[in-house]
């Protein structure tokens, strides 16, 4: 429907320039052209020009003036699709998505076949998961632009999201007839794999195999092709054919645990003994360089066989010096017998290394490296810490530090032991010392800051983080920009412990804002993914966004905020209490919290005067 106040050719040319300047982000030039139109008394109240001027001003940050002009323009020309479209764009920029959709629908009443408005409407509908509305809009776009690939893909995906698999496949098959066969076309390859995914989700396993065989030559992602085919063959009761493919995949990547587990299933290994025989008599011989082929059997072996295998596995790690060995073996600690075996072996290593510098007196090999006993101490400290034997854990980590005083990992483990023992002050001191040994290590810096926050030393933690944040900006501001949520959740917990509920809630809401931004970031991908044909990744993104607030950081922030609000509800006077100059507040802390706070102040003073702290803050 044309505007109720159409412009003559000269002014219409100027109006087109205003639109072009907006699209090219030349906002000041756009305002000049708009002024030329509005300066003519005949068109001083021209609705579409006022609306475009308002939209341009909004991009320059003049939000209130922009809304006034757009509303005035809409009032002057209610039948203009441009005015309604512009008003919808303003509402979308303010994240008022429902209002924006109403504006777009009103715009479509004035111009039913406007492709740009339909596209903008479809973006909001998929963003809000209005799948029925999205399907209808994509259908209209397909009818208007049947020659465009995006029109077909968008309509097919709408049916896929609604789990209407047959219609989705029918649309994709029709579209495939219009494409030409090319030897190497990654976008076309992704389309074929997306079709396979839809067929798989529909439950037609035979259909997936047939589809993959038909388009195998045109599929570029051979890894995904083999993985999908191997999994489907197993589900169809063809384990031998599936195993052949999984062994081919193992040749490609011998450190993929899923391939080994799948091979076990294909071999129909029903118990631990069968699985152990598979590894000992087959997989170890075929893939001798794989570390997983030595690690996985430890879960299936028992008694003497376990002792033999874990003995070999740990000796290699201690010789090489593998710090995360305990983390690697921790899953075995569900079995008390295996825990006892590991402990006896390593205590034996320590005893023999002290006397003969070998893991075993009967060992014919030459002497072990001097660092072997260090890593034994290091492992035992973590072992006893996990078992809750704090004194023994401290004894062995102190022995490790005495052996090599510059080992940063040892100080980190010592800090963890104190943390698990319930002493955040000593834990913080250990991490501060570790950080002073290598001030250029960002990981240790972040770890030290985290332990400071747990000791309620918020200001010191911010100073620690400022070593790696942008200059000229406060650490907290920069960390918020970078969506550093571990810092914000730990800060919120620290403020809550100190009774500074306002600051705690502020940090919690910053975390919530990050998740809202992540949801809004979908807008960048709705058009991009369909244009670049990364359809499988796009579906994964949509499903991730649907449950993004299940993330642990969001749960921590939400739990903290709920706890603070409940405390304020039970005791409203807490909201009126002002913090003192030194950061304390007039609230009753528990005896343990008072003790921790007192220790934190003392250790902070000592740290400022100490040499290691001075080195760490240079």
């Amino acid at each position: 429907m044309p505007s109720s106040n159409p412009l003559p050719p000269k002014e219409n040319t100027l109006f087109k320039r205003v639109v072009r300047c907006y699209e090219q982000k030349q906002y000041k030039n756009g305002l000049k052209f708009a002024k030329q139109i509005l300066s003519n008394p005949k068109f001083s109240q021209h609705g579409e020009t006022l609306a475009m001027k308002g939209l341009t001003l909004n991009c320059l940050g003049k939000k209130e003036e922009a809304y006034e002009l757009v509303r005035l323009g809409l009032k002057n020309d209610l039948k203009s699709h441009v005015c309604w479209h512009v008003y919808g764009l303003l509402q979308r920029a303010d994240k008022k998505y429902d209002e924006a959709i109403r504006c777009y629908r009103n715009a479509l009443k004035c111009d039913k076949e406007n492709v740009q408005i339909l596209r903008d409407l479809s973006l909001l509908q998929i963003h809000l998961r209005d799948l029925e509305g999205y399907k209808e809009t994509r259908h209209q776009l397909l009818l208007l632009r049947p020659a465009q690939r995006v029109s077909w893909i968008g309509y097919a995906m709408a049916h896929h999201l609604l789990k209407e698999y047959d219609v989705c496949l029918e649309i994709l098959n029709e579209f495939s007839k219009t494409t030409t066969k090319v030897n190497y076309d990654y976008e076309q390859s992704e389309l074929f794999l997306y079709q396979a995914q839809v067929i798989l989700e529909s439950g037609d396993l035979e259909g997936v195999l047939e589809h993959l065989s038909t388009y195998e030559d045109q599929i570029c992602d051979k890894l995904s092709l083999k993985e999908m085919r191997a999994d489907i063959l197993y589900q169809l009761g063809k384990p031998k054919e599936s195993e052949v493919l999984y062994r081919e995949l193992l040749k490609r990547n011998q450190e993929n645990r899923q391939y080994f587990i799948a091979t076990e299933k294909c071999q129909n290994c029903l118990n631990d003994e069968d699985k152990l025989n598979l590894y000992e008599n087959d997989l170890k011989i075929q893939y001798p360089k794989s570390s997983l082929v030595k690690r996985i059997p430890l879960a299936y072996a028992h008694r003497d066989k376990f002792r033999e295998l874990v003995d070999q596995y740990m000796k290699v790690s201690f010789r090489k010096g593998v710090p995360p060995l305990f983390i690697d073996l921790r899953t075995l600690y569900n079995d008390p017998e295996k825990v006892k075996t590991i402990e006896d072996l390593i205590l034996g290593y320590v005893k023999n290394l002290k006397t003969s510098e070998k893991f075993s007196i009967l060992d014919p090999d030459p002497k072990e490296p001097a660092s072997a006993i260090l890593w034994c101490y290091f492992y035992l400290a973590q072992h006893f810490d996990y078992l809750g034997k704090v004194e023994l854990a401290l004894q062995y980590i102190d022995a490790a530090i005495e052996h090599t005083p510059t080992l940063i990992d040892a100080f980190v483990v010592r800090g963890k032991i104190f943390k698990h023992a319930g002493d955040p002050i000593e834990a913080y001191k250990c991490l501060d010392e570790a950080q002073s040994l290598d001030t250029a290590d960002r990981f240790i810096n972040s770890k030290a800051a985290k332990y400071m926050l747990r000791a309620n030393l918020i200001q010191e933690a911010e100073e620690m983080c400022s070593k790696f944040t942008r200059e000229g900006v406060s650490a907290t501001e920069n960390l918020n920009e970078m969506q550093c949520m571990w810092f914000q959740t730990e800060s919120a917990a620290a403020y809550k412990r100190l009774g500074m509920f306002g600051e705690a809630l502020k940090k919690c809401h910053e975390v919530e804002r990050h998740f809202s931004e992540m949801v809004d970031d979908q807008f960048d991908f709705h058009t991009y993914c369909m244009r670049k044909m990364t359809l499988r990744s796009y579906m994964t993104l949509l499903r991730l966004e649907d449950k993004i607030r299940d993330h642990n950081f969001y749960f921590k922030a939400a739990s903290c905020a709920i706890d603070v609000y409940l405390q304020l509800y039970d005791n409203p006077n807490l909201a009126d209490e002002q913090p003192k100059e030194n950061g304390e507040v007039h609230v009753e802390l528990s005896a343990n919290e008072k003790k921790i706070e007192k220790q934190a102040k003392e250790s902070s003073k000592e740290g400022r005067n100490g040499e290691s702290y001075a080195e760490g803050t240079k």
Side-chain angles (χ1 to χ4, degrees):
M1 183 182 292
S3 171
S4 60
N5 187 15
L7 292 169
K10 182 184 174 183
E11 282 73 15
N12 191 42
T13 303
L14 288 171
F15 182 76
K16 288 178 180 177
R17 288 183 180 178
V18 174
V19 176
R20 195 178 305 118
C21 288
Y22 168 75
E23 291 171 349
Q24 295 173 355
K25 299 185 179 180
Q26 298 174 0
Y27 303 125
K28 290 185 179 178
N29 289 338
L31 289 175
K32 288 178 185 177
F33 293 129
K35 186 178 179 182
Q36 288 180 37
I37 300 171
L38 296 171
S39 60
N40 187 332
K42 293 181 181 179
F43 309 111
S44 61
Q45 296 298 313
H46 185 254
E48 293 181 354
T49 306
L50 288 168
M52 282 306 303
K53 183 180 178 182
L55 184 61
T56 306
L57 286 170
N58 187 60
C59 296
L60 293 171
K62 299 178 181 179
K63 185 175 172 182
E64 291 182 6
E65 191 177 348
Y67 265 99
E68 286 178 14
L69 285 169
V70 173
R71 284 177 182 139
L72 179 60
L74 187 59
K75 181 181 176 182
N76 293 339
D77 196 351
L78 277 169
K79 295 182 179 180
S80 167
H81 71 274
V82 173
C83 294
W84 281 110
H85 190 191
V86 167
Y87 195 32
L89 291 173
L90 280 187
Q91 299 285 6
R92 195 189 87 170
D94 281 347
K95 300 179 183 178
K96 298 175 182 176
Y97 301 128
D98 291 329
E99 291 294 326
I101 286 176
R102 288 195 195 98
C103 293
Y104 290 155
R105 290 196 182 281
N106 283 330
L108 288 169
K109 288 177 185 177
C110 304
D111 187 358
K112 294 180 180 179
E113 297 185 353
N114 189 299
V115 173
Q116 187 56 53
I117 299 173
L118 285 167
R119 282 176 186 158
D120 288 342
L121 176 60
S122 71
L123 291 179
L124 284 178
Q125 286 170 328
I126 187 62
H127 187 74
L128 296 176
R129 301 298 188 270
D130 176 13
L131 300 180
E132 286 291 346
Y134 179 66
K135 181 179 73 171
E136 183 183 333
T137 306
R138 293 310 310 190
H139 185 230
Q140 286 179 267
L141 282 167
L142 177 59
L143 295 175
L144 291 170
R145 292 287 188 275
Q148 291 185 355
R149 180 175 67 178
V150 174
S151 301
W152 289 88
I153 301 302
Y155 187 45
M157 294 195 82
H159 285 284
H160 183 193
L161 290 166
L162 286 165
K163 298 184 179 180
E164 297 171 355
Y165 303 115
D166 293 339
V167 183
C168 174
L169 290 169
E170 189 178 337
I171 295 164
L172 291 173
N173 289 332
E174 281 296 318
F175 172 68
S176 297
K177 293 175 184 177
T178 65
T179 59
T180 54
K181 186 176 179 180
V182 184
N183 290 333
Y184 188 90
D185 185 343
Y186 197 82
E187 292 182 2
Q188 196 175 52
S189 165
E190 279 296 304
L191 176 61
F192 293 139
L193 286 171
Y194 173 66
Q195 280 182 276
Q197 181 182 336
V198 176
I199 299 168
L200 180 61
E201 289 181 20
S202 71
D204 183 7
L205 300 180
E206 292 284 0
V208 183
L209 283 181
E210 185 181 342
H211 176 80
L212 293 175
S213 299
T214 304
Y215 298 104
E216 184 172 359
D217 294 339
Q218 294 169 262
I219 294 175
C220 306
D221 189 352
K222 301 300 182 185
L223 178 63
S224 295
L225 174 69
K226 280 188 178 180
E227 287 178 338
M228 190 179 288
R229 183 177 276 168
D231 182 47
I232 292 164
L233 283 169
Y234 179 75
Q235 291 185 54
L236 287 171
K238 301 177 180 178
K240 290 185 179 179
E241 294 176 44
S242 176
E243 186 184 352
V244 171
L245 289 172
Y246 276 120
R247 287 184 182 266
E248 288 178 13
L249 289 166
L250 279 170
K251 286 179 184 177
R252 182 172 182 152
N253 181 4
Q254 299 180 14
E255 302 302 328
N256 189 313
R257 182 181 290 269
Q258 295 303 318
Y259 296 163
F260 282 110
I261 302 302
T263 306
E264 292 173 16
K265 292 178 180 176
C266 292
Q267 283 278 345
N268 196 28
C269 298
L270 301 175
N271 52 51
D272 288 350
E273 187 178 349
D274 293 341
K275 294 174 183 177
L276 190 60
N277 288 334
L278 172 64
Y279 283 93
E280 290 295 299
N281 303 324
D282 184 354
L283 296 175
K284 272 189 180 180
I285 299 167
Q286 195 166 355
Y287 312 106
K289 293 184 179 179
S290 170
S291 60
L292 276 177
V293 86
K294 302 178 184 70
R295 168 61 184 86
I296 295 174
L298 298 180
Y300 306 137
H302 300 281
R303 299 183 180 83
D304 293 341
K305 188 61 180 178
F306 173 77
R307 188 182 188 88
E308 177 193 337
L309 294 176
V310 80
D311 182 36
Q312 295 170 3
Y313 189 78
M314 290 195 299
K315 281 178 180 177
V316 172
S317 298
F318 288 140
R319 286 188 189 111
K320 290 181 178 179
V322 180
L325 177 62
F326 175 77
I327 297 170
D328 182 20
L329 297 181
R330 190 166 56 191
T331 53
L332 302 173
Y333 278 53
N334 295 328
D335 187 337
E337 188 180 337
K338 290 183 178 180
V339 175
K340 186 70 172 65
T341 302
I342 292 170
E343 183 179 316
D344 291 344
L345 281 170
I346 303 178
L347 289 173
Y349 297 160
V350 171
K351 181 180 177 181
N352 292 328
L353 286 167
K354 284 180 178 178
T355 55
S356 63
E357 298 183 21
K358 293 183 179 182
F359 288 122
S360 173
I361 299 173
L362 304 175
D363 197 341
D365 294 335
K367 293 180 180 180
E368 302 297 341
S371 62
I373 194 168
L374 165 67
W375 297 113
C376 289
Y377 289 147
F378 188 77
Y379 186 97
L380 284 170
Q382 296 173 86
H383 168 83
F384 286 119
D385 175 41
Y386 186 83
L387 298 178
K389 300 178 180 179
V390 179
E391 291 182 2
L392 280 172
L394 287 172
Q395 178 185 325
Y396 282 106
I397 201 61
D398 288 341
I401 293 171
E402 185 180 348
H403 184 281
T404 308
T406 56
L407 183 65
I408 296 172
D409 291 322
F411 288 98
V412 174
V413 168
R414 194 170 192 272
K416 284 183 179 179
I417 293 168
F418 280 114
K419 180 189 78 171
H420 296 152
D423 190 344
I425 305 303
E426 282 300 321
Y428 138 69
K429 288 180 180 178
C430 293
L431 267 293
D432 193 33
E433 192 165 354
Q435 191 274 335
S436 68
L437 293 172
D438 187 359
T439 55
D441 190 325
R442 186 167 188 161
F443 170 76
I444 299 298
N445 176 280
S446 300
K447 203 77 174 170
K450 191 173 185 179
Y451 276 56
M452 286 175 174
L453 289 171
R454 288 179 177 174
N456 298 338
L457 300 171
I458 299 170
Q459 187 176 350
E460 287 81 352
E462 290 176 5
E463 289 172 4
M464 180 68 71
C465 288
S466 67
K467 297 174 188 178
F468 286 92
T469 55
R470 193 169 73 244
E471 291 183 10
V473 182
S474 68
T476 49
E477 187 179 337
N478 190 232
L479 290 167
N480 184 39
E481 286 176 14
M482 295 191 294
Q483 298 184 342
C484 189
M485 286 186 276
W486 69 263
F487 183 84
Q488 290 167 319
T489 51
E490 291 292 343
S491 295
Y495 279 125
K496 190 187 82 171
R497 288 193 295 270
L498 292 170
M500 300 172 71
F501 297 127
E503 291 295 324
L505 289 173
K506 181 181 175 183
K507 294 295 178 187
C508 293
H509 284 286
E510 283 176 0
V511 173
E512 200 282 330
R513 204 175 301 121
H514 294 329
F515 281 90
S516 297
E517 287 171 6
M518 291 175 195
V519 172
D520 288 333
D521 286 343
Q522 287 180 84
F523 274 117
D524 298 329
F525 296 96
H526 292 314
T527 52
Y528 174 83
C529 291
M530 277 193 266
R531 192 172 71 250
K532 293 293 185 180
M533 297 297 284
T534 55
L535 305 178
R536 292 181 299 150
S537 300
Y538 180 52
M539 290 300 298
T540 304
L541 170 70
L542 293 178
R543 287 164 179 170
L544 169 68
E545 293 284 1
D546 288 341
K547 56 180 181 180
I548 195 167
R549 284 184 169 83
D550 292 350
H551 197 280
N552 193 36
F553 280 137
Y554 189 87
F555 182 82
K556 283 183 178 180
S559 299
C560 180
I562 290 166
D563 194 23
V564 168
Y565 281 127
L566 288 173
Q567 287 191 52
L568 291 173
Y569 180 81
D570 292 338
N571 189 357
N573 295 329
L574 292 174
D576 300 326
E577 291 169 353
Q578 299 295 322
K580 293 181 181 178
E581 291 180 4
N582 60 1
E584 295 180 15
V585 289
H586 298 283
V587 292
E588 284 298 320
L589 300 177
S590 66
N592 188 41
E593 285 176 330
K594 287 179 180 177
K595 182 182 175 184
I596 290 172
E597 201 175 337
K598 184 178 178 182
Q599 290 177 341
K601 289 176 194 170
E602 292 173 358
S603 66
S604 180
K605 289 176 183 176
E606 291 172 9
R608 288 194 185 94
N609 298 325
E611 187 178 346
S612 65
Y613 186 86
E615 290 175 1
T617 53
K618 284 181 183 177

